[in-house]
Amino acid sequence: MAELNANIPEGELTEKWTKLRSSMPLVNPANKRSIEIIVVGSGLAGASAAATLAEMGYKVKCFCFQDSPRRAHSIAAQGGINAAKNYQNDGDSTYRLFYDTIKGGDYRAREANVHRLAEVSANIIDQCVAQGVPLAREYGGLLDNRSFGGTQVQRTFYAAGQTGQQLLLGAYSALERQVGMGKVEMFTRHEMLEVVVVDGKARGIIARNLLTGELERHSGHAVLLCTGGYGNVFYLSTNAMGSNVTAAWKAHKKGAFFGNPCYTQIHPTCIPVSGDHQSKLTLMSESLRNDGRIWVPKKKDDTRKASEIPEDERDYYLERRYPAFGNLVPRDVASRAAKERCDAGYGVGKSKLAVYLDFKANTERYGRIEASVQNIHNPDKETCMRLGREVIKEKYGNLFDMYAQITGEDPYELPMRIYPAVHYTMGGLWVDYNLMTTVPGLYSLGEANFSDHGANRLGASALMQGLADGYFVIPYTIGAYLSKELATKPIPQDHPAFIEAEANARGIIDKFFAIKGTKTVDYFHKKLGKIMWEKCGMARNAKGLTEAIAEIQQLRKDFWSDVRVPGEANEFNPELEKAGRVADFIELGELMCIDALNRNESCGGHFREEYQTEEGEAMRDDENYAYVAAWEFKEGVKFELHKEELKFENIKVAQRSYK
Ligand SMILES: Cc1cc2nc3c(=O)[nH]c(=O)nc-3n(C[C@H](O)[C@H](O)[C@H](O)COP(=O)(O)OP(=O)(O)OC[C@H]3O[C@@H](n4cnc5c(N)ncnc54)[C@H](O)[C@@H]3O)c2cc1C
């Protein structure tokens, strides 16, 4: 059985990373040229890693299932990326970013990793600016910042509401440069279906060419999984439709432990569900909470229009409950508060499952400043609103357009209606400090790993982590492993491990076609999503989770006896792709419920109704649950728990408060 050793370097917290990277074994340039690295995924984590490793001299093969690396889900990221640059002179520092992240994650993340993340955060911005990423600037040309939840400083760098797109274009350009020089071989429209483990080490993958259906063997000295998050296990989420867990799950079945699978982030500001027809939900970026105030009517079941409800009959419940952070409390806190108000009968809109996000007050405030800049004295309200609207448009224009297109309402005139939705998964493949999984030579980066965010991720920290992993961490840590692999010759692809892995992948595909059932893949996916949302979603309890586990086990049986996959294996077949992904989601869903049931406490995004304070806040149990739950896969879809104890030596563990 693999050892669970986080490999955290010795020494002072602030020096661990510097010392380690300065003393790590290196691979010399001539040797790098004969070492092959497989990078699965070309989102921010994968593209940054592949480009950097190739630039360092390694031979890289990079895979993605989309038709271009530019279509990775990272492109959807809207609001921004954090970095402790202290450009606003508002008291930010590496330590404060570290502290905010540990506290934001409800004291369930590793101190050493989070401190390293805070340390390299500033380098990421320099790197991206050097690449030409057009981060927003102030009038004078300096980089601009805004606030995100769970912090009291402005450390979020952004590019309008398209930060992910601009960052990805930067990483993609770096990647394509290496492709152009022949140092990265890019395989688009390829889906990894198996990890190949030779003598206990990851040595390759089996990938399906999605256009021809052909199964291909690819070998390498190390394999990096940068394959994103698994929020789509809930069917409805803000993730791209294609986001899935297959790569991570196949690795899990080959010995990689899965860390904290139950930690799911429910984002408070999404466009509410409008009906059964939907297959996707849309995020309204957290950046909007810089200027949008969240409220519900003070009166239950109030049917008046928002504009007819006077100021003193509105409940700005986040500002009321959390005066120190107000509308910028972390996502888990804001989501629960919205649910609490709606459950209590104060929700708005037809479904009553929505709250208002209102920009009026800040539009007027901006207008007043703008009028002053333009030397307009004593401007009337209309002038202020007109001028303020331009400022709001400049900051959030594309998000407002998106909202208007989807809902048919003009958010410049009416408050947005929003409700929490599944957004991000803090859980993922367990990795040590070097980003290596429990399978030697198999690494995981970005959202695919169990990450640095503990039980709740602060906004604008995913892009930071993915790029930290790819640009600044793996380029160092992988060298320590590869320096011991210099004698390893190119891995022969006719090794029995390749033959077996390919046969496995083919066996699953054949099984799908043999079932010839009556139900579509989506039918099962929707059913799974409903169970997960209702019983392992924003609020969980032992009874619901126990039921969910039984229901998912039954669903798995039904799936494998009644799913219908049309078409052929040897052709472009999106239904077949979905079938494989949903089969893995079903197994993952069960593990998420098992993990949630095991964790008899509430922390961050994991809210067990039995464990809450009198005020309805999450109640941790540090004595019994200050550990990372790392699950090992066992034959017959069984799971064994391993624990990585979390030690807090630099931060005093306390009840999280944003009041
Ligand atoms: C709507 C939205 C807005 C967001 N906004 C922000 C924000 O403002 N700030 C922030 O910090 N975070 C934000 N996030 C979170 C952030 O975007 C993601 O966590 C991050 O981009 C994930 O990057 P990644 O590289 O890990 O994965 P991804 O970008 O998801 O890339 C995964 C890659 O893996 C490939 N892949 C997956 N499986 C396979 C397989 N089996 N075989 C081959 N290839 C495979 C895919 O093709 C893709 O290239 C947002 C998320 C959403 C949903």
Side-chain angles (χ1 to χ4, degrees):
M1 190 184 67
E3 284 271 308
L4 197 59
N5 179 355
N7 285 315
I8 298 170
E10 293 297 321
E12 287 290 313
L13 180 71
T14 51
E15 288 173 11
K16 284 182 195 288
W17 178 235
T18 313
K19 276 195 179 157
L20 183 79
R21 74 188 162 94
S22 311
S23 54
M24 269 186 166
L26 300 173
V27 179
N28 87 24
N31 285 332
K32 281 192 186 116
R33 287 197 288 273
S34 55
I35 291 184
E36 288 189 286
I37 301 176
I38 290 179
V39 179
V40 186
S42 58
L44 282 173
S48 58
T52 310
L53 294 171
E55 202 166 313
M56 290 167 75
Y58 294 109
K59 290 204 277 185
V60 176
K61 282 182 174 181
C62 184
F63 296 79
C64 71
F65 62 73
Q66 290 94 345
D67 58 352
S68 158
R70 271 169 48 184
R71 291 193 198 278
H73 158 68
S74 289
I75 205 157
Q78 299 174 350
I81 174 165
N82 289 331
K85 285 267 196 191
N86 194 28
Y87 280 176
Q88 303 303 322
N89 197 22
D90 54 3
D92 203 6
S93 63
T94 300
Y95 182 83
R96 200 181 285 277
L97 173 50
F98 158 70
Y99 175 82
D100 286 348
T101 309
I102 293 277
K103 176 183 169 191
D106 219 350
Y107 305 91
R108 290 291 174 262
R110 241 185 237 150
E111 276 193 345
N113 282 54
V114 177
H115 198 275
R116 175 177 66 190
L117 180 64
E119 283 174 57
V120 303
S121 66
N123 304 118
I124 298 171
I125 301 303
D126 297 342
Q127 165 88 355
C128 296
V129 168
Q131 285 173 337
V133 173
L135 292 171
R137 289 174 187 269
E138 289 170 350
Y139 182 75
L142 301 174
L143 289 175
D144 196 14
N145 295 118
R146 54 191 176 197
S147 294
F148 261 59
T151 66
Q152 289 175 310
V153 295
Q154 288 185 287
R155 65 161 73 99
T156 305
F157 294 77
Y158 65 100
Q162 325 174 325
T163 315
Q165 179 171 353
Q166 298 307 331
L167 292 173
L168 189 60
L169 286 172
Y172 167 76
S173 310
L175 174 63
E176 285 301 305
R177 178 162 175 265
Q178 299 302 322
V179 172
M181 293 197 297
K183 292 160 87 179
V184 174
E185 202 178 344
M186 186 72 220
F187 295 83
T188 58
R189 290 273 195 212
H190 276 67
E191 180 158 34
M192 186 212 103
L193 295 180
E194 285 286 337
V195 177
V196 180
V197 179
V198 178
D199 300 331
K201 292 179 178 173
R203 292 301 193 193
I205 61 167
I206 304 296
R208 180 168 177 270
N209 178 327
L210 297 181
L211 296 177
T212 63
E214 201 180 329
L215 292 180
E216 298 172 5
R217 302 175 190 178
H218 296 275
S219 57
H221 293 78
V223 177
L224 275 52
L225 299 184
C226 318
T227 45
Y230 52 83
N232 282 345
V233 65
F234 289 86
Y235 186 70
L236 285 182
S237 88
T238 62
N239 287 195
M241 294 284 291
S243 295
N244 69 88
V245 77
T246 288
W249 198 251
K250 299 301 189 203
H252 180 48
K253 290 178 131 174
K254 278 278 165 71
F257 290 5
F258 212 99
N260 296 332
C262 80
Y263 289 167
T264 309
Q265 175 157 89
I266 317 275
H267 197 298
T269 57
C270 302
I271 298 181
V273 176
S274 63
D276 284 346
H277 59 283
Q278 261 177 299
S279 50
K280 161 113 192 63
L281 293 175
T282 306
L283 173 76
M284 286 288 108
S285 167
E286 179 162 308
S287 58
L288 294 170
R289 284 198 271 147
N290 276 264
D291 290 315
R293 298 178 68 197
I294 295 180
W295 63 275
V296 290
K298 280 187 180 165
K299 205 172 88 185
K300 263 190 191 175
D301 298 317
D302 197 331
T303 50
R304 286 176 293 175
K305 286 187 192 149
S307 57
E308 291 166 359
I309 302 178
E311 206 46 43
D312 61 349
E313 291 180 38
R314 299 174 176 195
D315 177 15
Y316 293 92
Y317 57 87
L318 290 178
E319 297 172 26
R320 169 171 59 77
R321 287 179 63 177
Y322 309 101
F325 285 70
N327 292 293
L328 280 168
V329 288
R331 293 173 180 177
D332 56 331
V333 177
S335 291
R336 267 198 296 283
K339 181 177 185 303
E340 187 277 328
R341 283 294 77 188
C342 293
D343 289 353
Y346 297 91
V348 301
K350 261 192 211 143
S351 67
K352 299 285 173 203
L353 285 178
V355 299
Y356 288 129
L357 179 63
D358 195 336
F359 296 86
K360 209 163 193 169
N362 282 309
T363 306
E364 191 176 341
R365 180 175 63 83
Y366 281 127
R368 212 163 280 286
I369 297 170
E370 206 47 34
S372 175
V373 170
Q374 296 183 17
N375 274 326
I376 304 172
H377 300 293
N378 299 322
D380 56 20
K381 191 167 176 179
E382 203 181 312
T383 309
C384 290
M385 293 306 282
R386 180 172 50 77
L387 294 172
R389 188 184 161 121
E390 288 311 307
V391 179
I392 292 282
K393 195 170 174 184
E394 180 85 5
K395 285 174 176 267
Y396 315 111
N398 70 314
L399 301 172
F400 274 51
D401 289 350
M402 207 151 71
Y403 183 86
Q405 277 164 19
I406 292 172
T407 64
E409 288 176 4
D410 179 2
Y412 291 103
E413 297 295 331
L414 302 169
M416 289 181 178
R417 278 176 297 108
I418 48 147
Y419 195 70
V422 172
H423 179 65
Y424 181 90
T425 44
M426 280 77 67
L429 290 174
W430 182 91
V431 287
D432 68 3
Y433 187 76
N434 300 319
L435 304 182
M436 202 197 277
T437 68
T438 44
V439 176
L442 181 66
Y443 292 80
S444 182
L445 283 63
E447 193 173 339
N449 71 26
F450 89 106
S451 87
D452 304 345
H453 311 293
N456 169 63
R457 173 174 73 80
L458 290 185
S461 294
L463 302 183
M464 172 173 69
Q465 181 232 327
L467 290 180
D469 287 359
Y471 283 135
F472 295 108
V473 179
I474 197 74
Y476 291 98
T477 58
I478 202 167
Y481 174 76
L482 293 174
S483 64
K484 298 187 190 79
E485 292 292 322
L486 301 180
T488 309
K489 297 275 170 287
I491 318 296
Q493 293 179 1
D494 55 1
H495 188 282
F498 273 94
I499 295 169
E500 190 191 322
E502 187 183 314
N504 246 349
R506 195 177 304 285
I508 293 172
I509 292 171
D510 291 346
K511 207 165 156 187
F512 284 138
F513 287 111
I515 297 170
K516 298 191 195 310
T518 61
K519 307 267 186 344
T520 62
V521 175
D522 276 356
Y523 167 88
F524 291 101
H525 196 177
K526 272 188 191 173
K527 280 210 136 184
L528 174 68
K530 196 162 181 305
I531 300 171
M532 295 300 293
W533 179 244
E534 286 174 359
K535 297 183 171 165
C536 193
M538 237 190 303
R540 302 138 179 213
N541 59 53
K543 180 173 170 287
L545 289 165
T546 310
E547 287 166 8
I549 292 167
E551 286 170 30
I552 295 171
Q553 284 170 350
Q554 184 58 47
L555 190 72
R556 177 155 48 89
K557 282 193 193 128
D558 296 347
F559 176 85
W560 284 107
S561 60
D562 199 19
V563 72
R564 179 168 191 83
V565 180
E568 305 284 334
N570 295 326
E571 61 179 7
F572 176 62
N573 188 339
E575 278 302 299
L576 174 61
E577 292 166 30
K578 271 199 290 185
R581 294 169 189 172
V582 171
D584 295 334
F585 275 144
I586 293 175
E587 294 183 1
L588 165 77
E590 184 179 340
L591 177 61
M592 289 170 72
C593 295
I594 291 173
D595 187 42
L597 184 61
N598 168 71
R599 193 167 279 279
N600 290 313
E601 64 163 353
S602 293
C603 54
H606 167 65
F607 190 73
R608 282 280 301 271
E609 288 169 330
E610 306 95 315
Y611 308 103
Q612 51 181 305
T613 64
E614 275 175 13
E615 291 158 316
E617 305 292 351
M619 198 159 76
R620 291 196 320 268
D621 175 353
D622 293 326
E623 215 176 297
N624 296 303
Y625 291 93
Y627 63 76
V628 176
W631 295 90
E632 183 181 2
F633 189 88
K634 296 278 180 187
E635 220 27 68
V637 195
K638 299 267 184 309
F639 306 95
E640 186 181 320
L641 176 64
H642 301 256
K643 298 177 185 176
E644 179 203 334
E645 193 194 340
L646 291 167
K647 293 193 190 104
F648 295 93
E649 290 160 346
N650 299 275
I651 278 187
K652 192 170 169 296
V653 178
Q655 165 78 30
R656 214 159 49 123
S657 167
Y658 291 97
K659 287 187 177 158

